[in-house]
């Protein structure tokens, strides 16, 4: 006899009923899945186009270069602050030594005065075999004591001023060093984002910077033309953040630490160093290193600057073109001046 549940049905579900139930669940899951697929795609982040990725790349590269020149400016300021601190420390030491010398002199005079003053002056004067010598000695001691007392006071004030200058210079150097560290960290963050976009775009074929063109003098000086040739001889050299010195390409800093090359102001620094002209490694300083010229008066060798904060620059070579170190991932190459936010130009030779 079949056992029944309280509701009157059998304890187990018939096979045919189980099969129908299984099919219904499977069909429902399949239909639900099919229905959700379009919704999942619609809610996902849209895949950026190559044009959008390229625009992001250009924007981030510009930000990276802006931070590069901010860092270069801070490096120049740090060098100045460190020199000032070194001079201030040396001056403070000299003042301290001078003060100690005068203090020792005054202490000796005080001891002499005490020895001579140990007896009643009138008795010493009366019993002295040479009263005039005693008077001369006493007057001399008083005079030098007074003079050295004044000197001690003046030296003390000078030493205190030197100490304050030393502390101020050291604090300024420490502050600039912190700012430089912040600029490097910001630049590294921008470069990380830039690397992600570049990986999506693909690296492509590395540029060689192009052939070296013949540059017409155009009224430029021999030194200016020499600087142009030096820069053109470096076509194809990699961009390196913070890279470049008077002797040629160098390893930079942060993401440029493993790249031997130039940044924009490092290239112009190098080029003019080859003709005996020293420039700071900073666009802001180079902008003030010569005579301003208008765009319609440009000659080969003139330094050209872009953006209101001067965070990019190059060297004019004629025909509306310049040689420059553009940005991370690129190389020293020739580009047109047009299409860039013009800031000004400077002639240094």
């Amino acid at each position: 006899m079949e056992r029944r549940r309280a509701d009157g049905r059998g304890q187990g579900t018939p096979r045919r009923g189980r099969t129908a139930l299984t099919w219904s669940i499977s069909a429902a899951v399949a239909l639900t899945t099919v229905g959700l697929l379009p919704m999942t795609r619609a809610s996902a982040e849209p895949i950026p186009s190559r044009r959008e990725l390229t625009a992001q790349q250009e924007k981030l590269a510009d930000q990276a270069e802006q931070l590069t020149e901010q860092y270069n400016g801070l490096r120049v300021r740090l060098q100045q602050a460190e020199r000032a601190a070194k001079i201030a420390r040396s001056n403070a030491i000299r003042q301290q030594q001078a003060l100690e010398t005068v203090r020792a002199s005054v202490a000796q005079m005080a001891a002499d005065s005490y020895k001579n003053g140990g007896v009643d002056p009138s008795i010493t004067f009366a019993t002295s075999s040479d009263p005039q010598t005693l008077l001369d000695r006493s007057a001399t001691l008083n005079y030098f004591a007074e003079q050295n007392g004044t000197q001690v006071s003046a030296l003390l004030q000078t030493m205190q001023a030197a100490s304050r200058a030393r502390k101020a210079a050291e604090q300024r150097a420490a502050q600039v060093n912190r700012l430089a560290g912040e600029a490097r960290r910001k630049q590294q963050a921008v470069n990380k984002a830039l690397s992600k976009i570049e990986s999506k775009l693909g690296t492509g074929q590395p540029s060689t910077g192009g052939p070296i063109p013949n540059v017409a003098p155009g009224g430029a000086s021999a030194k200016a033309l020499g600087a142009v040739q030096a820069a053109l001889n470096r076509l194809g050299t990699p961009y390196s953040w913070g890279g470049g010195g008077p002797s040629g390409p160098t390893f930079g800093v942060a993401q440029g630490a493993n790249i031997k090359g130039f940044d924009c102001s490092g290239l112009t620094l190098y080029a003019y160093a080859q003709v005996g002209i020293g420039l700071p490694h900073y666009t802001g300083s180079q902008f003030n290193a010569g005579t301003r010229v208008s765009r319609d008066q440009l000659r080969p060798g003139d330094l050209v600057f872009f953006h209101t904060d001067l965070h990019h620059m190059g060297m004019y070579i004629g025909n509306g073109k310049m040689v420059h170190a553009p940005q991370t991932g690129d190389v020293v190459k020739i580009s047109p001046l047009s299409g860039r936010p013009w800031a000004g130009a400077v002639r240094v030779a």
Side-chain angles (χ1 to χ4, degrees):
M1 183 176 181
E2 183 185 10
R3 288 179 299 173
R4 292 185 173 274
R5 296 185 305 187
D7 58 2
R9 292 184 295 173
Q11 188 175 15
T13 302
R15 179 178 299 275
R16 187 169 55 186
R18 288 200 302 270
T19 303
L21 178 60
T22 303
W23 184 91
S24 298
I25 292 173
S26 300
V29 170
L31 289 172
T32 304
T33 304
V34 171
L36 286 176
L37 281 176
M39 293 178 63
T40 303
R41 286 198 184 102
S43 62
E45 289 293 328
I47 299 174
S49 67
R50 188 170 184 83
R51 178 180 294 181
E52 290 171 333
L53 286 172
T54 301
Q56 292 177 29
Q57 179 194 34
E58 291 174 353
K59 183 177 180 180
L60 285 169
D62 188 67
Q63 289 178 7
E65 188 178 31
Q66 186 175 14
L67 286 166
T68 296
E69 286 309 315
Q70 286 180 9
Y71 177 75
N72 285 339
L74 288 167
R75 282 202 304 180
V76 171
R77 285 176 54 191
L78 180 60
Q79 290 170 356
Q80 294 170 343
E82 287 176 339
R83 281 197 299 269
K86 184 177 180 181
I87 292 170
R89 283 193 293 269
S90 178
N91 187 36
I93 291 171
R94 284 198 306 272
Q95 296 299 333
Q96 179 68 36
Q97 290 172 341
L99 179 63
E100 293 304 323
T101 299
V102 175
R103 276 178 170 169
S105 175
V106 171
Q108 184 60 48
M109 288 186 177
D112 292 344
S113 297
Y114 176 79
K115 290 177 182 178
N116 292 329
V119 182
D120 189 326
S122 59
I123 298 173
T124 304
F125 181 79
T127 58
S128 175
S129 59
D130 190 354
Q132 185 59 47
T133 300
L134 181 62
L135 287 173
D136 291 342
R137 183 187 303 164
S138 178
T140 300
L141 285 171
N142 289 334
Y143 172 78
F144 280 107
E146 182 179 348
Q147 292 299 312
N148 280 280
T150 303
Q151 189 177 359
V152 167
S153 178
L155 277 172
L156 185 59
Q157 292 176 3
T158 304
M159 187 199 71
Q160 289 171 342
S163 180
R164 287 193 298 269
R166 175 185 59 80
K167 290 179 181 178
E170 289 173 347
Q171 288 172 355
R172 186 164 65 251
Q175 181 185 28
V176 175
N177 199 28
R178 284 195 299 271
L179 291 173
E182 290 174 10
R184 286 182 64 174
R185 287 190 290 274
K186 289 178 183 177
Q187 211 284 341
Q188 287 171 338
V190 169
N191 189 66
K192 186 176 180 180
L194 183 60
S195 296
K196 288 182 179 178
I197 291 177
E198 288 176 342
S199 66
K200 293 178 182 177
L201 286 169
T203 56
Q205 294 298 318
S207 172
T208 59
I212 298 177
N214 293 320
V215 176
S221 69
K223 284 194 172 184
L225 290 173
V228 168
Q229 192 60 47
L232 290 174
N233 287 340
R234 293 296 181 173
L235 289 175
T237 303
Y239 181 95
S240 177
W241 192 58
S247 300
T250 66
F251 290 104
V253 294
Q255 81 280 0
N258 297 317
I259 302 173
K260 193 172 185 179
F262 297 102
D263 60 20
C264 65
S265 56
L267 175 65
T268 51
L269 178 159
Y270 161 76
Y272 268 101
Q274 306 319 295
V275 294
I277 296 176
L279 294 173
H281 195 162
Y282 174 44
T283 55
S285 296
Q286 292 190 23
F287 191 64
N288 295 311
T291 304
R292 303 287 171 80
V293 293
S294 62
R295 192 164 182 168
D296 59 358
Q297 295 175 328
L298 287 174
R299 297 175 185 173
D302 289 345
L303 304 179
V304 289
F305 299 82
F306 308 93
H307 304 280
T308 54
D309 62 355
L310 310 175
H311 71 257
H312 187 62
M313 66 176 296
M315 182 182 294
Y316 188 64
I317 62 171
N319 297 320
K321 295 181 179 180
M322 66 175 174
V323 56
H324 66 142
Q327 62 192 27
T328 298
D330 213 331
V331 298
V332 175
K333 64 183 181 182
I334 296 170
S335 300
L337 299 183
S338 60
R340 300 174 185 274
W342 178 259
V346 170
R347 184 166 299 150
V348 296

